[in-house]
């Protein structure tokens, strides 16, 4: 089969309307490392409309020409010789810059004038979408200012949308407050709460894999599945983000968004269609079906950890408390493990185990579906002493693909069994993608498809799952931090959590 390199389907079902993208926080890392490369990739694959322009906004004093030069230098450092000059040269002409503060009214008066001018030049029809690549405390003020300036109002046939980065609140109360403040200015269908995990091809493929293949969905339930494991491990530390991480921690940073999104896509019922609300309705049902943890459950079924000094490969790395902007006695967790139960007909008595952390042995995100062991009776008078359990692994990152493990007879005159794997890798069948993971999400916002974005009720339901853990952990500070070495797979208590049930974490090679 000839490999095909594609960021999106080769023939999109819907082309985007003409539009202008506005990035608040345009001088930051997210813009240069993810957003501009994603837009360039879309332009290269001809998914951007001809009538497209971008306005970057940040405090840094800069002209539009200087912004273009900066983005060009950044792209050359990322892409090197693979940057297609014709595509980039055409794309970079569409970039504009406005120096200003997201909290000052004067910035929005200038922005309104600039958008009116670009609108006339590019014939974008008054269609704008705003990307808030800023500190979370600026989300609400920026939206309020957009409302005051009339830049969030949809008139005639024009649309206005806003993409908001995580974290969406720090707890349930702050998430509800932020939702209320956004809804004072915007309609729900204008709000796109982004989770970059959902831009990954394998995550999107979960829906196709489960519901487009007749051999898997019939066994995707409590009758055949023993348990589910989700691992989201990073080998990096906090990488200069100690100030943010001290206020967040691994639980807030990963579980209400990334981890719960993976759980919902794994556990949801078949939607009636791939329409945004049809899919998100089923995801919301799973979030509401996760059994609330009592304080006793939190103590028994959750684990927190913090990395100390250790080794990654041959490199010695410092502990969390030695990172920049981190307190010398910090009790912020950098690792979380937990056991959840989804209380519905499909998943009753099937535990969902999760673990996520910093400075672990390897960067990997995967979903493990562990099937129940077959009866052993048939093999009692053979040399087989145990049966291989069937295991399906969805590799989310870094090597996207799917693996299936099953037992097969070892060649020879006696009955002997060995474990074999069937592996599918996206790169082998469809070519290595040059994507950042943001291409699909930006494209979907431009065409008005909110399937991969969180809805108000989903955000609040996610925080409801996490809230009991936050409450107990706040009341009972950890006593043993740091409790795992950098370069390990986390604290021993995480192993105990799953081994108490007679199970083990999947060994990641």
């Amino acid at each position: 089969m000839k490999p095909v390199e594609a960021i999106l389907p080769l023939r999109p079902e819907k082309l985007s309307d003409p539009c202008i993208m506005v990035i608040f926080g345009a001088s930051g890392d997210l813009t240069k490392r993810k957003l501009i490369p994603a837009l360039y990739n879309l332009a290269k694959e001809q998914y951007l409309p001809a009538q497209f322009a971008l306005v970057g906004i940040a405090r840094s004093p800069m002209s539009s020409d200087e912004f273009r030069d900066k983005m060009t230098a950044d792209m050359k450092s990322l892409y090197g010789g693979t940057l297609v000059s014709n595509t980039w040269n055409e794309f970079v002409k569409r970039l504009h810059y406005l120096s200003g503060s997201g909290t000052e009214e004067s910035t929005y008066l200038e922005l309104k004038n600039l958008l009116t001018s670009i609108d006339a030049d590019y014939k974008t029809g008054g269609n704008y979408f705003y990307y808030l690549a800023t500190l979370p405390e600026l989300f609400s003020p920026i939206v309020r200012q957009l409302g005051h300036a009339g830049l969030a109002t949809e008139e005639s046939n024009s649309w206005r949308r806003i993409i908001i980065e995580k974290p969406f609140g720090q707890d349930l109360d702050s998430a509800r407050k932020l939702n209320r403040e956004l809804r004072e200015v915007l309609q729900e269908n204008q709000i796109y709460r982004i989770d970059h995990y959902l831009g990954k091809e394998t995550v999107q493929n979960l829906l196709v894999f489960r519901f487009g293949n007749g051999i898997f969905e019939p066994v995707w339930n409590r009758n055949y599945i023993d348990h589910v494991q989700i691992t989201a491990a990073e080998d990096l530390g906090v990488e200069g983000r100690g100030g943010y991480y001290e206020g967040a921690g691994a639980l807030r940073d990963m579980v209400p968004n990334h981890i719960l999104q993976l759980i919902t896509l794994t556990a949801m019922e078949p939607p009636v269609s791939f329409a945004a609300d049809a899919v998100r309705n089923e995801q919301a049902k799973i979030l509401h079906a996760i059994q609330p943890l009592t304080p006793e459950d939190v103590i028994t079924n959750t684990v927190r950890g913090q990395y100390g000094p250790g080794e990654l490969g041959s490199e010695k790395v410092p502990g969390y408390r030695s990172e920049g902007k981190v307190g010398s006695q910090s009790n912020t967790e950098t690792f979380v493990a937990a056991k959840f139960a989804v209380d519905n007909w499909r998943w009753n008595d099937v535990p969902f185990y999760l673990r996520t952390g910093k400075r672990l042995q390897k960067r990997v995100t995967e979903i493990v579906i562990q099937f129940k062991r077959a009866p052993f009776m048939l093999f009692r008078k053979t040399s087989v002493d145990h049966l291989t359990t069937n295991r399906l692994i969805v590799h989310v990152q870094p090597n996207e693909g799917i693996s299936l493990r099953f037992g097969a007879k070892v060649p020879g005159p006696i009955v002997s069994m060995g474990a074999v794997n069937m592996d599918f890798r996206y790169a082998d069948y469809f070519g290595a993608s040059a994507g950042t993971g943001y291409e699909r999400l930006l494209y979907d916002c431009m065409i008005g498809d909110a399937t991969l974005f969180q809805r108000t009720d989903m955000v609040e339901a996610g925080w409801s799952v996490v809230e009991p853990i936050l409450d107990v952990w706040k009341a009972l500070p950890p006593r043993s931090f740091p409790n795992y070495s950098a370069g390990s797979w986390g604290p021993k208590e995480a192993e105990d959590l799953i081994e108490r049930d007679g199970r083990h974490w999947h060994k990641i090679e």
Side-chain angles (χ1 to χ4, degrees):
M1 179 176 180
K2 184 179 179 181
V4 177
E5 181 175 338
I7 301 223
L8 298 171
L10 294 180
R11 296 183 183 275
E13 295 179 5
K14 180 177 180 181
L15 292 173
S16 168
D17 297 326
C19 61
I20 303 173
M21 178 181 184
V22 179
I23 302 176
F24 287 89
S27 61
D29 269 4
L30 181 63
T31 297
K32 74 177 184 181
R33 295 186 182 279
K34 298 294 184 181
L35 302 183
I36 295 297
L39 291 168
Y40 161 75
N41 287 332
L42 290 173
K44 187 172 65 172
E45 299 291 332
Q46 299 183 347
Y47 289 106
L48 281 186
Q51 300 84 19
F52 173 85
L54 180 144
V55 175
I57 300 178
R59 286 181 176 273
S60 306
M62 208 184 319
S63 67
S64 289
D65 284 338
E66 289 171 328
F67 181 61
R68 294 176 189 127
D69 290 342
K70 181 180 184 301
M71 292 299 104
T72 299
D74 290 338
M75 286 293 289
K76 285 181 177 177
S77 69
L78 287 171
Y79 276 80
T82 62
L83 189 65
V84 180
S85 58
N86 290 343
T87 302
W88 176 255
N89 291 341
E90 183 60 33
F91 172 76
V92 78
K93 295 176 185 177
R94 310 183 194 188
L95 306 187
H96 305 264
Y97 185 81
L98 175 63
S99 177
S101 167
T103 59
E104 294 178 1
E105 185 178 354
S106 59
T107 299
Y108 295 85
L109 296 176
E110 291 183 61
L111 176 60
K112 190 169 188 177
N113 292 333
L114 180 57
L115 291 175
T116 300
S117 174
I118 295 173
D119 236 342
D121 291 341
Y122 285 84
K123 304 294 188 294
T124 53
N127 298 321
Y128 311 148
F129 71 106
Y130 309 94
Y131 199 111
L132 307 192
T134 66
L135 294 172
E137 52 264 33
L138 294 178
F139 293 167
S140 185
I142 288 173
V143 170
R144 192 179 305 116
Q145 290 283 7
L146 288 171
H148 289 330
L151 291 171
T153 305
E154 297 184 323
E155 298 174 342
S156 303
N157 294 321
S158 67
W159 49 258
R160 309 286 164 89
R161 298 166 188 150
I162 294 181
I163 300 178
I164 298 179
E165 273 283 346
K166 77 173 184 75
F168 199 90
Q170 286 290 303
D171 51 27
L172 181 57
D173 285 343
S174 61
R176 284 174 171 163
K177 179 175 182 290
L178 181 54
N179 277 328
R180 285 196 302 271
E181 290 170 348
L182 296 181
R183 290 299 301 272
E184 288 173 2
V185 179
L186 305 163
Q187 299 297 315
E188 176 64 33
N189 63 6
Q190 294 178 273
I191 306 170
Y192 288 68
R193 302 169 186 85
I194 195 168
D195 183 342
H196 69 265
Y197 261 48
L198 297 193
K200 297 182 183 298
E201 200 64 50
T202 308
V203 175
Q204 298 168 42
N205 189 45
L206 263 174
L207 297 178
V208 175
F209 179 79
R210 284 189 57 194
F211 304 129
N213 293 292
I215 64 173
F216 294 113
E217 186 57 25
V219 298
W220 207 267
N221 56 60
R222 60 190 169 95
N223 295 322
Y224 299 96
I225 292 176
D226 179 78
H227 70 278
V228 177
Q229 298 179 24
I230 295 178
T231 297
E234 291 286 345
D235 56 0
L236 297 175
V238 293
E239 297 299 291
R241 298 168 67 235
Y244 160 75
Y245 214 79
E246 278 288 86
L251 181 63
R252 286 186 173 95
D253 190 48
M254 292 293 293
V255 178
N257 37 70
H258 302 327
I259 300 294
L260 290 184
Q261 287 291 294
L262 295 180
I263 289 177
T264 60
L265 291 172
T266 301
M268 63 186 276
E269 294 297 319
V272 295
S273 74
F274 282 130
D277 277 337
V279 174
R280 296 189 296 180
N281 286 344
E282 299 304 331
Q283 289 181 273
K285 289 177 185 177
I286 295 299
L287 292 172
H288 289 295
I290 295 176
Q291 287 184 338
L293 297 177
T294 66
E296 292 77 16
D297 291 333
V298 172
I299 294 170
T300 304
N301 293 333
T302 69
V303 172
R304 53 183 155 168
Q306 184 190 92
Y307 66 85
E311 293 186 4
L312 276 168
S314 59
E315 179 187 1
K316 292 186 181 298
V317 293
Y320 175 71
R321 292 177 177 179
S322 298
E323 302 275 11
K325 299 182 180 179
V326 173
S328 60
Q329 300 299 316
S330 172
N331 281 327
T332 299
E333 80 283 352
T334 62
F335 177 94
V336 176
K339 173 185 173 183
F340 288 143
V342 178
D343 189 17
N344 64 13
W345 282 93
R346 183 185 289 263
W347 297 109
N348 183 51
D349 289 335
V350 178
F352 283 70
Y353 300 97
L354 66 93
R355 58 177 174 171
T356 181
K358 295 284 190 183
R359 282 294 189 209
L360 298 178
Q361 192 175 115
K362 188 176 183 180
R363 175 179 175 263
V364 61
T365 300
E366 65 177 27
I367 303 166
V368 177
I369 309 297
Q370 180 72 56
F371 291 91
K372 292 183 177 179
R373 193 181 300 274
F376 186 72
M377 182 180 67
L378 179 64
F379 297 90
R380 283 180 180 169
K381 296 183 179 181
T382 71
S383 62
V384 176
D385 57 2
H386 70 280
L387 297 181
T388 298
T389 53
N390 302 131
R391 178 181 294 153
L392 187 139
I393 305 173
V394 178
H395 305 280
V396 177
Q397 67 176 7
N399 300 313
E400 299 183 53
I402 298 172
S403 302
L404 177 64
R405 186 181 82 160
F406 58 93
K409 182 182 177 296
V410 176
I414 63 172
V415 177
S416 181
M417 181 179 286
V420 297
N421 289 312
M422 293 176 60
D423 293 315
F424 154 70
R425 293 289 182 270
Y426 267 87
D428 296 337
Y429 280 81
F430 303 114
S433 172
T436 66
Y438 281 76
E439 289 84 2
R440 167 66 68 179
L441 300 172
L442 294 178
Y443 171 78
D444 281 356
C445 181
M446 285 189 278
I447 65 172
D449 184 347
T451 305
L452 298 177
F453 297 84
Q454 292 197 66
R455 210 167 50 189
T456 294
D457 59 328
M458 296 170 65
V459 169
E460 295 180 6
W463 278 114
S464 295
V465 172
V466 169
E467 189 86 352
I469 307 174
L470 290 172
D471 290 343
V472 172
W473 285 4
K474 183 178 179 180
L476 299 173
R479 298 177 181 177
S480 58
F481 279 5
N483 60 352
Y484 71 96
S485 299
S488 69
W489 280 111
K492 180 182 181 299
E493 290 82 359
E495 302 289 341
D496 297 340
L497 171 69
I498 193 169
E499 288 176 4
R500 281 198 304 268
D501 297 337
R503 301 179 175 101
H504 302 276
W505 291 109
H506 168 239
K507 185 177 180 181
I508 298 172
E509 303 295 340

